[in-house]
PDB file of all heavy atoms in Angstrom:
ATOM      1  N   TYR A  41      10.395  13.574  -3.853  1.00 82.00           N
ATOM      2  CA  TYR A  41      10.856  14.965  -3.840  1.00 82.00           C
ATOM      3  C   TYR A  41      11.974  15.143  -2.819  1.00 82.00           C
ATOM      4  O   TYR A  41      13.014  15.732  -3.112  1.00 82.00           O
ATOM      5  CB  TYR A  41       9.686  15.898  -3.523  1.00 82.00           C
ATOM      6  CG  TYR A  41      10.126  17.304  -3.224  1.00 82.00           C
ATOM      7  CD1 TYR A  41      10.526  18.147  -4.252  1.00 82.00           C
ATOM      8  CD2 TYR A  41      10.181  17.779  -1.922  1.00 82.00           C
ATOM      9  CE1 TYR A  41      10.953  19.435  -3.982  1.00 82.00           C
ATOM     10  CE2 TYR A  41      10.603  19.054  -1.645  1.00 82.00           C
ATOM     11  CZ  TYR A  41      10.996  19.883  -2.676  1.00 82.00           C
ATOM     12  OH  TYR A  41      11.435  21.141  -2.417  1.00 82.00           O
ATOM     13  N   VAL A  42      11.763  14.623  -1.610  1.00 89.00           N
ATOM     14  CA  VAL A  42      12.763  14.750  -0.546  1.00 89.00           C
ATOM     15  C   VAL A  42      14.066  14.076  -0.964  1.00 89.00           C
ATOM     16  O   VAL A  42      15.155  14.603  -0.745  1.00 89.00           O
ATOM     17  CB  VAL A  42      12.223  14.169   0.781  1.00 89.00           C
ATOM     18  CG1 VAL A  42      13.325  14.052   1.819  1.00 89.00           C
ATOM     19  CG2 VAL A  42      11.081  15.020   1.301  1.00 89.00           C
ATOM     20  N   ARG A  43      13.963  12.903  -1.579  1.00 90.00           N
ATOM     21  CA  ARG A  43      15.165  12.176  -2.018  1.00 90.00           C
ATOM     22  C   ARG A  43      15.944  12.996  -3.045  1.00 90.00           C
ATOM     23  O   ARG A  43      17.157  13.154  -2.933  1.00 90.00           O
ATOM     24  CB  ARG A  43      14.772  10.827  -2.603  1.00 90.00           C
ATOM     25  CG  ARG A  43      15.963  10.036  -3.087  1.00 90.00           C
ATOM     26  CD  ARG A  43      15.571   8.695  -3.614  1.00 90.00           C
ATOM     27  NE  ARG A  43      14.759   8.856  -4.814  1.00 90.00           N
ATOM     28  CZ  ARG A  43      14.344   7.868  -5.574  1.00 90.00           C
ATOM     29  NH1 ARG A  43      14.626   6.633  -5.272  1.00 90.00           N
ATOM     30  NH2 ARG A  43      13.624   8.095  -6.644  1.00 90.00           N
ATOM     31  N   GLU A  44      15.255  13.534  -4.061  1.00 92.00           N
ATOM     32  CA  GLU A  44      15.935  14.326  -5.104  1.00 92.00           C
ATOM     33  C   GLU A  44      16.599  15.556  -4.515  1.00 92.00           C
ATOM     34  O   GLU A  44      17.742  15.880  -4.846  1.00 92.00           O
ATOM     35  CB  GLU A  44      14.947  14.731  -6.192  1.00 92.00           C
ATOM     36  CG  GLU A  44      14.352  13.585  -6.969  1.00 92.00           C
ATOM     37  CD  GLU A  44      15.380  12.765  -7.711  1.00 92.00           C
ATOM     38  OE1 GLU A  44      16.209  13.331  -8.449  1.00 92.00           O
ATOM     39  OE2 GLU A  44      15.361  11.531  -7.551  1.00 92.00           O
ATOM     40  N   LYS A  45      15.899  16.244  -3.636  1.00 94.00           N
ATOM     41  CA  LYS A  45      16.447  17.451  -3.012  1.00 94.00           C
ATOM     42  C   LYS A  45      17.644  17.089  -2.130  1.00 94.00           C
ATOM     43  O   LYS A  45      18.646  17.820  -2.105  1.00 94.00           O
ATOM     44  CB  LYS A  45      15.350  18.147  -2.185  1.00 94.00           C
ATOM     45  CG  LYS A  45      15.771  19.460  -1.575  1.00 94.00           C
ATOM     46  CD  LYS A  45      15.880  20.550  -2.603  1.00 94.00           C
ATOM     47  CE  LYS A  45      16.008  21.916  -1.970  1.00 94.00           C
ATOM     48  NZ  LYS A  45      17.371  22.318  -1.703  1.00 94.00           N
ATOM     49  N   SER A  46      17.577  15.960  -1.456  1.00 95.00           N
ATOM     50  CA  SER A  46      18.695  15.529  -0.606  1.00 95.00           C
ATOM     51  C   SER A  46      19.931  15.194  -1.436  1.00 95.00           C
ATOM     52  O   SER A  46      21.057  15.528  -1.036  1.00 95.00           O
ATOM     53  CB  SER A  46      18.290  14.309   0.232  1.00 95.00           C
ATOM     54  OG  SER A  46      17.281  14.655   1.138  1.00 95.00           O
ATOM     55  N   ILE A  47      19.734  14.549  -2.568  1.00 95.00           N
ATOM     56  CA  ILE A  47      20.863  14.247  -3.456  1.00 95.00           C
ATOM     57  C   ILE A  47      21.536  15.554  -3.879  1.00 95.00           C
ATOM     58  O   ILE A  47      22.759  15.684  -3.847  1.00 95.00           O
ATOM     59  CB  ILE A  47      20.405  13.440  -4.692  1.00 95.00           C
ATOM     60  CG1 ILE A  47      19.900  12.061  -4.281  1.00 95.00           C
ATOM     61  CG2 ILE A  47      21.542  13.317  -5.713  1.00 95.00           C
ATOM     62  CD1 ILE A  47      19.184  11.312  -5.410  1.00 95.00           C
ATOM     63  N   TYR A  48      20.708  16.540  -4.265  1.00 96.00           N
ATOM     64  CA  TYR A  48      21.247  17.829  -4.689  1.00 96.00           C
ATOM     65  C   TYR A  48      21.958  18.533  -3.524  1.00 96.00           C
ATOM     66  O   TYR A  48      23.080  19.031  -3.686  1.00 96.00           O
ATOM     67  CB  TYR A  48      20.135  18.717  -5.248  1.00 96.00           C
ATOM     68  CG  TYR A  48      20.618  20.101  -5.606  1.00 96.00           C
ATOM     69  CD1 TYR A  48      21.441  20.290  -6.718  1.00 96.00           C
ATOM     70  CD2 TYR A  48      20.281  21.204  -4.835  1.00 96.00           C
ATOM     71  CE1 TYR A  48      21.910  21.557  -7.043  1.00 96.00           C
ATOM     72  CE2 TYR A  48      20.731  22.465  -5.161  1.00 96.00           C
ATOM     73  CZ  TYR A  48      21.549  22.639  -6.256  1.00 96.00           C
ATOM     74  OH  TYR A  48      22.011  23.886  -6.590  1.00 96.00           O
ATOM     75  N   ASP A  49      21.330  18.585  -2.364  1.00 96.00           N
ATOM     76  CA  ASP A  49      21.938  19.254  -1.205  1.00 96.00           C
ATOM     77  C   ASP A  49      23.277  18.610  -0.840  1.00 96.00           C
ATOM     78  O   ASP A  49      24.237  19.308  -0.509  1.00 96.00           O
ATOM     79  CB  ASP A  49      20.992  19.219  -0.004  1.00 96.00           C
ATOM     80  CG  ASP A  49      19.768  20.105  -0.194  1.00 96.00           C
ATOM     81  OD1 ASP A  49      19.771  20.980  -1.097  1.00 96.00           O
ATOM     82  OD2 ASP A  49      18.784  19.909   0.556  1.00 96.00           O
ATOM     83  N   ASN A  50      23.360  17.288  -0.910  1.00 96.00           N
ATOM     84  CA  ASN A  50      24.626  16.602  -0.631  1.00 96.00           C
ATOM     85  C   ASN A  50      25.676  16.942  -1.676  1.00 96.00           C
ATOM     86  O   ASN A  50      26.857  17.120  -1.347  1.00 96.00           O
ATOM     87  CB  ASN A  50      24.407  15.088  -0.556  1.00 96.00           C
ATOM     88  CG  ASN A  50      23.690  14.681   0.706  1.00 96.00           C
ATOM     89  OD1 ASN A  50      23.773  15.355   1.720  1.00 96.00           O
ATOM     90  ND2 ASN A  50      22.966  13.580   0.648  1.00 96.00           N
ATOM     91  N   PHE A  51      25.262  17.041  -2.940  1.00 95.00           N
ATOM     92  CA  PHE A  51      26.207  17.436  -3.976  1.00 95.00           C
ATOM     93  C   PHE A  51      26.739  18.843  -3.703  1.00 95.00           C
ATOM     94  O   PHE A  51      27.949  19.085  -3.813  1.00 95.00           O
ATOM     95  CB  PHE A  51      25.556  17.395  -5.369  1.00 95.00           C
ATOM     96  CG  PHE A  51      26.429  18.015  -6.414  1.00 95.00           C
ATOM     97  CD1 PHE A  51      27.494  17.311  -6.957  1.00 95.00           C
ATOM     98  CD2 PHE A  51      26.226  19.331  -6.820  1.00 95.00           C
ATOM     99  CE1 PHE A  51      28.328  17.899  -7.894  1.00 95.00           C
ATOM    100  CE2 PHE A  51      27.048  19.914  -7.760  1.00 95.00           C
ATOM    101  CZ  PHE A  51      28.103  19.199  -8.298  1.00 95.00           C
ATOM    102  N   ILE A  52      25.852  19.763  -3.346  1.00 95.00           N
ATOM    103  CA  ILE A  52      26.273  21.144  -3.085  1.00 95.00           C
ATOM    104  C   ILE A  52      27.275  21.188  -1.934  1.00 95.00           C
ATOM    105  O   ILE A  52      28.272  21.908  -2.002  1.00 95.00           O
ATOM    106  CB  ILE A  52      25.052  22.057  -2.807  1.00 95.00           C
ATOM    107  CG1 ILE A  52      24.222  22.217  -4.092  1.00 95.00           C
ATOM    108  CG2 ILE A  52      25.474  23.419  -2.267  1.00 95.00           C
ATOM    109  CD1 ILE A  52      24.993  22.812  -5.261  1.00 95.00           C
TER     110      ILE A  52
END
Side-chain angles (χ1 to χ4, degrees):
Y41 169 76
V42 169
R43 179 178 66 175
E44 296 299 309
K45 184 73 168 89
S46 295
I47 294 169
Y48 176 72
D49 291 344
N50 287 333
F51 170 79
I52 292 301

